[in-house]
Amino acid sequence: MTIAGPHDSPVQSGQPPRWERRKERRPAELLAAALARFVEHGYAGTRLDDIAASAGVSKGTLYLYFPNKEELFKALVRESVVPLLERFSDRLASSDETGPVLIEQFVNTWWLEFGSTRLAGLCKLIMAEAGNFPEVARFFHDEVIQPNNALVAGLIRRGIERGEFRQVDVEATAHVLISPLVLKAIWAHSFERSGIQAESIDPQRMLATHIQLIQAALLPPNR
Amino acid sequence: MTIAGPHDSPVQSGQPPRWERRKERRPAELLAAALARFVEHGYAGTRLDDIAASAGVSKGTLYLYFPNKEELFKALVRESVVPLLERFSDRLASSDETGPVLIEQFVNTWWLEFGSTRLAGLCKLIMAEAGNFPEVARFFHDEVIQPNNALVAGLIRRGIERGEFRQVDVEATAHVLISPLVLKAIWAHSFERSGIQAESIDPQRMLATHIQLIQAALLPPNR
Amino acid sequence: MTIAGPHDSPVQSGQPPRWERRKERRPAELLAAALARFVEHGYAGTRLDDIAASAGVSKGTLYLYFPNKEELFKALVRESVVPLLERFSDRLASSDETGPVLIEQFVNTWWLEFGSTRLAGLCKLIMAEAGNFPEVARFFHDEVIQPNNALVAGLIRRGIERGEFRQVDVEATAHVLISPLVLKAIWAHSFERSGIQAESIDPQRMLATHIQLIQAALLPPNR
Amino acid sequence: MTIAGPHDSPVQSGQPPRWERRKERRPAELLAAALARFVEHGYAGTRLDDIAASAGVSKGTLYLYFPNKEELFKALVRESVVPLLERFSDRLASSDETGPVLIEQFVNTWWLEFGSTRLAGLCKLIMAEAGNFPEVARFFHDEVIQPNNALVAGLIRRGIERGEFRQVDVEATAHVLISPLVLKAIWAHSFERSGIQAESIDPQRMLATHIQLIQAALLPPNR
DNA sequence: GATGAATGAGTCTTCATTCAT
DNA sequence: TATGAATGAAGACTCATTCAT
């Protein structure tokens, strides 16, 4: 994450540059604190006081970096989205593995790098606030969900073209493929956070099954 | 209690009365209005004034039926859940169709009777508010999600026992089977509500694909 | 207490008149309930709902007899005051006992007929609400307190004239004489109501001492 | 904490700041304003808006110092009581004057330092609200009234032991001695505040008479 | 008359935002 | 910069009052 302050303070000569970096990191720290709070309590349910406290600064400091709560929220989404975008595309697009292997890689990588991180809460958050912040929802959809779907669709389409997968509705299949990942990630930030883990299934176990099922489902009717 | 639509008072011609008594129907009307508002704006983001207005009553009237906002919310969940519980279990459990057909029936019925209704928003709502209302989340999990999972798991297990399905991790497969349904239902109340329907896939199309895929995935390896 | 309704319902011939009296008594019952509530919780702290409930009628019924809360309160004071006015004056003014005996009679009678009754709470109530209802306070002062003081002052003045008491500041002495009675009566509706009775002194004991002290204090410097 | 008068900010010339920090003095100022308002209108009849306005701050500021109206009220009683406690005890307990002189001193001091101050209204207030705040009433009784009674009882008992006073019921006499003081103090915050001063007697005049009477009443029967 | 459901102005309380320090 | 005291608009909730039944 590369969130920089609005001003780059001129480094005093002789000063150890390490301390300057602290100031540059402030906004990112604030956004991290905000993400955690927003995910847990929702937008309206989160007080700026809480965000400030959990970031270890005073309430007023937030206003040095963000003009108001709404902009803080939007910045949060914007900045959090950037790293998501760069994660998979390159890696998977240029891989020369076979379709089934690519699917396995995608599922595992997605979970590892997104589903299991606190960023997954972002997805829940945005869905919950879509009614209040349509532009944010659109932004997230256009920048994250749509590309992600396209990526998966690409994998499947490539597999079909190569004869590794049977003919299916590519877009619909992409949705089906992604759904268990997304839902499990969201789940982790709602029910499972609230101590409801009894019957909850271990993600690895579910993902392994999911991979097997989807691979079997896509097997071409060869022979 | 079935949550009714809002306000259709058969006012006789003449001067319209400033208000009228509807002790019986009121609670359901209020809950219906509350559901719509809560789903759209979240718990904290919804004003009681709005709920009241959208139910066609004044603010004070809400307090005749519910002691406060939180109890209104809990009542909403409680009352909405009851009809959900009775929907599928009986029908599917006693069916004598084959496994693949049962799955198709389940998916279609689930979508028809839950996923495509406004009650689906309840799921999103509760997930969003799980952090603020753990008891509500637990209630919903115990009364709706868990039984639903068990129902699906039962279908799969029966299919395996009958040799209609191959051996799989039953619970994990149930999750995988349900996820696209749930996510699509949630989706409908977030992104798609916000006018983001461009790339959105028609539910029927996705569900049809989902059914095909899961049926294929569960096909026993015989022959 | 002779509180009558605003309308005297014409007695149907043949009807047992006892039942009609019920309706006539309504307002008095309502005022009695109101007095108890107002004394306990103050004017603003008392809900009309409570008064109605404690009188065994519905809220709306109050409005059949009193136009609003304030008028109910004023009626309460007005009606309660009437019996107070007639209590002592005649009896004591026309007595031919000696001064010390009259004082003893006054103290005991006052306590018996006013201080120990629920009407004593009225005094506390009016004092508490004097800031909000100056007219009521003035009314009570002019109709109750002032005459009462005058009565006591008259007793003392007569005693002095007869040589039963020594020369004193008559009005000031009247105040001193009445104060312990009033304060004890008020006390009974505040601290002692709240379960604070531990160190509280039995009224009879205090009054007996009070009588002795005031008699001794007024003893003429005879011999 | 001594409850201070309201607001005398030494604003420098130039543009007056919209508000200024006074973390130290604020609580006392707020309590002073609250006392005045509560005494005049009672607890329920006082709006926090009014207290704030009369303290020269905004409504929200009250909540920086007190969590809610009830706690503000309790803090008011608590803080106001402390100075009362320290007023008389030391002075009178260690005096070596004779009994009659001590009584005169007590009456005059009590009036000067309590009865004639705005704190006297506190007594009326607490009596009026005893029904709604029993704990407050008990606190006030235990911390103020009871010690005060004990102090007076001590004076009388000492006088009896020294032969300066005749044998009397000590506790009852203490009540009788204090009553005119308390009632006059309460009076000043009810009827006399409402412009009913016509027939009201000057406190000095009444207290002088009270002192004479009680001294005469306690005179030992010797000689 | 009597009831109590419905109303809405009025209060308490919260919290995003400002600004003196 | 950073702080946190102060603000005031907004929202939850109450309750005197009205009015359909």
Side-chain angles (χ1 to χ4, degrees):
Chain A
M1 198 185 297
T2 51
I3 300 174
H7 55 86
D8 287 31
S9 58
V11 179
Q12 302 264 343
S13 64
Q15 288 281 18
R18 221 178 310 149
W19 294 115
E20 294 306 311
R21 192 155 298 168
R22 183 73 204 276
K23 279 179 188 167
E24 288 174 14
R25 271 199 247 134
R26 255 291 145 72
E29 291 169 8
L30 301 182
L31 289 179
L35 175 59
R37 291 294 184 160
F38 279 141
V39 166
E40 188 162 9
H41 296 115
Y43 178 81
T46 297
R47 293 185 306 244
L48 290 186
D49 260 338
D50 284 344
I51 295 176
S54 109
V57 301
S58 80
K59 198 172 17 171
T61 300
L62 289 177
Y63 283 85
L64 296 176
Y65 294 96
F66 308 98
N68 55 45
K69 190 181 184 181
E70 185 169 340
E71 289 305 319
L72 167 60
F73 178 61
K74 290 178 180 172
L76 165 64
V77 176
R78 229 178 293 121
E79 300 297 334
S80 301
V81 154
V82 176
L84 292 182
L85 297 180
E86 299 156 348
R87 249 182 249 276
F88 314 108
S89 313
D90 309 337
R91 209 172 315 184
L92 291 168
S94 61
S95 170
D96 55 354
E97 297 283 355
T98 67
V101 174
L102 274 177
I103 283 180
E104 181 175 1
Q105 285 182 347
F106 171 82
V107 169
N108 287 328
T109 306
W110 195 99
W111 184 257
L112 195 67
E113 304 210 353
F114 178 69
S116 63
T117 71
R118 61 188 342 182
L119 286 178
L122 193 66
C123 193
K124 185 197 77 167
L125 177 59
I126 289 169
M127 280 175 26
E129 301 297 339
N132 298 318
F133 300 96
E135 339 80 65
V136 171
R138 167 158 290 285
F139 172 79
F140 190 75
H141 181 271
D142 291 351
E143 301 294 327
V144 179
I145 294 172
Q146 174 56 22
N148 199 247
N149 282 345
L151 174 63
V152 176
L155 292 184
I156 295 166
R157 187 172 295 111
R158 198 141 48 114
I160 294 172
E161 288 166 358
R162 290 180 186 168
E164 295 159 350
F165 296 148
R166 65 186 176 90
Q167 293 283 348
V168 291
D169 181 329
V170 173
E171 282 75 25
T173 302
H175 274 258
V176 172
L177 173 50
I178 292 167
S179 288
L181 290 167
V182 174
L183 196 62
K184 185 70 177 173
I186 292 175
W187 227 254
H189 286 277
S190 54
F191 297 111
E192 294 174 9
R193 265 296 163 85
S194 306
I196 307 169
Q197 300 179 346
E199 312 81 3
S200 188
I201 289 188
D202 172 62
Q204 299 308 330
R205 183 179 148 201
M206 196 194 82
L207 294 185
T209 298
H210 182 39
I211 291 167
Q212 290 168 18
L213 289 171
I214 204 76
Q215 286 173 339
L218 289 178
L219 221 55
N222 67 329
R223 185 81 29 93
Chain B
M1 187 185 305
T2 322
I3 296 186
H7 211 338
D8 50 330
S9 60
V11 179
Q12 299 284 345
S13 64
Q15 72 288 49
R18 299 222 313 217
W19 46 263
E20 64 185 304
R21 274 176 195 233
R22 7 175 73 205
K23 196 186 181 195
E24 304 308 325
R25 274 182 284 157
R26 270 281 144 73
E29 291 171 9
L30 300 181
L31 289 179
L35 175 60
R37 290 296 184 158
F38 279 142
V39 165
E40 187 162 8
H41 296 116
Y43 177 81
T46 297
R47 293 188 306 257
L48 289 186
D49 265 339
D50 283 346
I51 295 176
S54 111
V57 300
S58 81
K59 196 174 17 172
T61 299
L62 288 177
Y63 286 88
L64 294 177
Y65 296 95
F66 308 98
N68 55 45
K69 190 180 184 181
E70 184 168 341
E71 289 304 320
L72 167 59
F73 178 60
K74 289 179 180 172
L76 166 64
V77 175
R78 231 178 293 121
E79 299 295 333
S80 302
V81 154
V82 176
L84 293 182
L85 297 180
E86 300 154 349
R87 251 183 248 276
F88 314 109
S89 314
D90 308 337
R91 206 171 318 185
L92 291 169
S94 60
S95 171
D96 57 351
E97 298 284 355
T98 66
V101 174
L102 275 177
I103 282 180
E104 182 176 359
Q105 285 182 345
F106 171 82
V107 168
N108 286 328
T109 306
W110 195 99
W111 184 258
L112 195 66
E113 305 212 353
F114 178 70
S116 63
T117 72
R118 61 192 339 185
L119 287 179
L122 193 66
C123 193
K124 186 198 77 169
L125 177 59
I126 289 169
M127 280 175 24
E129 300 297 339
N132 296 318
F133 299 96
E135 340 79 68
V136 170
R138 168 160 288 285
F139 173 79
F140 190 75
H141 179 271
D142 292 350
E143 300 294 327
V144 179
I145 295 173
Q146 172 57 21
N148 200 246
N149 282 344
L151 173 64
V152 176
L155 294 184
I156 296 167
R157 188 172 296 112
R158 201 143 45 116
I160 294 173
E161 288 166 359
R162 291 181 183 167
E164 295 160 352
F165 296 148
R166 65 185 176 90
Q167 294 282 348
V168 292
D169 181 329
V170 173
E171 282 77 26
T173 301
H175 275 256
V176 171
L177 173 50
I178 293 167
S179 289
L181 291 166
V182 175
L183 196 63
K184 185 70 179 174
I186 292 175
W187 226 256
H189 286 277
S190 54
F191 297 112
E192 294 173 9
R193 264 297 162 83
S194 308
I196 307 170
Q197 299 177 346
E199 311 81 1
S200 188
I201 289 186
D202 171 62
Q204 299 308 330
R205 184 179 148 205
M206 195 194 82
L207 294 185
T209 299
H210 182 40
I211 292 168
Q212 290 168 19
L213 289 172
I214 204 76
Q215 286 173 338
L218 289 177
L219 221 56
N222 69 327
R223 183 74 29 92
Chain C
M1 194 185 301
T2 51
I3 300 175
H7 54 87
D8 287 31
S9 57
V11 179
Q12 302 265 344
S13 64
Q15 287 281 17
R18 220 178 312 146
W19 292 115
E20 294 305 311
R21 192 156 298 168
R22 183 73 204 277
K23 279 180 187 167
E24 288 174 14
R25 271 201 246 132
R26 254 291 147 73
E29 292 168 9
L30 301 182
L31 290 179
L35 175 60
R37 290 297 185 158
F38 279 143
V39 166
E40 188 162 11
H41 295 116
Y43 177 82
T46 297
R47 294 185 305 243
L48 290 188
D49 260 339
D50 284 344
I51 295 175
S54 110
V57 301
S58 81
K59 199 171 18 170
T61 301
L62 289 178
Y63 284 85
L64 296 176
Y65 295 96
F66 308 98
N68 56 44
K69 189 181 185 182
E70 186 169 340
E71 289 305 319
L72 167 60
F73 177 61
K74 289 179 180 171
L76 164 65
V77 176
R78 228 178 295 119
E79 301 297 334
S80 301
V81 154
V82 176
L84 292 181
L85 296 181
E86 300 156 347
R87 248 185 250 277
F88 314 109
S89 313
D90 310 337
R91 204 172 322 182
L92 291 168
S94 60
S95 170
D96 56 353
E97 297 283 356
T98 66
V101 173
L102 275 176
I103 283 180
E104 182 176 359
Q105 285 182 347
F106 171 81
V107 168
N108 286 328
T109 306
W110 194 99
W111 184 257
L112 195 66
E113 303 209 356
F114 178 68
S116 63
T117 72
R118 63 188 340 183
L119 287 179
L122 192 66
C123 193
K124 186 197 79 167
L125 177 59
I126 289 170
M127 279 174 26
E129 300 297 340
N132 296 319
F133 299 98
E135 341 78 68
V136 171
R138 166 159 291 284
F139 173 78
F140 190 75
H141 180 272
D142 292 350
E143 301 294 326
V144 179
I145 294 172
Q146 174 56 22
N148 200 245
N149 280 345
L151 173 64
V152 177
L155 294 184
I156 295 167
R157 186 172 298 110
R158 200 143 47 114
I160 294 173
E161 289 165 0
R162 290 179 184 169
E164 294 160 351
F165 297 149
R166 65 186 176 91
Q167 293 284 346
V168 292
D169 181 330
V170 173
E171 282 76 25
T173 301
H175 275 257
V176 172
L177 173 52
I178 293 166
S179 289
L181 290 166
V182 174
L183 196 62
K184 186 69 178 173
I186 293 176
W187 226 254
H189 286 277
S190 54
F191 297 111
E192 293 173 10
R193 267 295 164 85
S194 307
I196 306 169
Q197 300 177 347
E199 311 81 2
S200 189
I201 289 185
D202 172 62
Q204 299 310 330
R205 183 180 148 202
M206 196 194 82
L207 294 185
T209 299
H210 182 37
I211 291 167
Q212 289 168 19
L213 289 172
I214 204 76
Q215 286 172 338
L218 290 177
L219 222 55
N222 68 327
R223 181 79 33 85
Chain D
M1 188 186 301
T2 320
I3 295 184
H7 210 339
D8 50 329
S9 61
V11 178
Q12 298 284 345
S13 64
Q15 71 287 49
R18 299 220 316 218
W19 47 263
E20 63 184 305
R21 275 173 195 234
R22 8 175 72 204
K23 196 187 181 192
E24 303 308 326
R25 275 182 283 157
R26 271 279 143 74
E29 291 170 10
L30 300 181
L31 290 179
L35 176 59
R37 290 295 184 159
F38 279 141
V39 165
E40 188 162 8
H41 297 114
Y43 178 81
T46 297
R47 295 189 303 258
L48 289 186
D49 265 339
D50 284 346
I51 295 176
S54 110
V57 300
S58 80
K59 200 173 12 173
T61 299
L62 289 176
Y63 285 86
L64 295 177
Y65 296 95
F66 307 99
N68 55 44
K69 191 180 183 181
E70 184 168 341
E71 289 304 318
L72 168 59
F73 177 62
K74 289 179 180 172
L76 166 64
V77 175
R78 231 179 292 119
E79 298 295 333
S80 301
V81 153
V82 175
L84 292 182
L85 296 180
E86 300 155 349
R87 250 182 248 276
F88 313 108
S89 313
D90 309 336
R91 209 172 314 186
L92 291 168
S94 60
S95 171
D96 55 353
E97 297 284 353
T98 66
V101 174
L102 275 178
I103 282 180
E104 181 176 1
Q105 284 182 348
F106 171 82
V107 169
N108 286 328
T109 306
W110 195 99
W111 184 258
L112 195 66
E113 304 211 354
F114 178 69
S116 64
T117 71
R118 60 191 339 183
L119 287 179
L122 192 65
C123 193
K124 184 197 78 167
L125 177 59
I126 289 170
M127 280 174 25
E129 300 296 341
N132 297 318
F133 299 96
E135 340 80 66
V136 170
R138 167 159 290 283
F139 173 78
F140 191 74
H141 180 273
D142 292 349
E143 300 294 327
V144 179
I145 294 173
Q146 172 57 22
N148 201 245
N149 281 345
L151 174 64
V152 176
L155 293 184
I156 296 167
R157 187 172 296 112
R158 201 142 48 113
I160 294 173
E161 288 166 359
R162 289 180 183 168
E164 295 160 352
F165 297 148
R166 66 185 176 90
Q167 294 282 347
V168 291
D169 181 329
V170 173
E171 282 76 25
T173 301
H175 274 256
V176 172
L177 173 51
I178 293 167
S179 289
L181 290 167
V182 174
L183 196 62
K184 185 70 179 173
I186 292 174
W187 226 255
H189 285 277
S190 54
F191 296 111
E192 295 174 8
R193 264 296 163 83
S194 306
I196 307 168
Q197 300 179 346
E199 313 79 3
S200 187
I201 288 186
D202 172 62
Q204 298 309 331
R205 183 179 149 203
M206 196 195 82
L207 295 185
T209 298
H210 182 38
I211 291 168
Q212 289 168 18
L213 290 171
I214 204 76
Q215 286 173 338
L218 290 178
L219 221 55
N222 67 327
R223 186 74 34 89

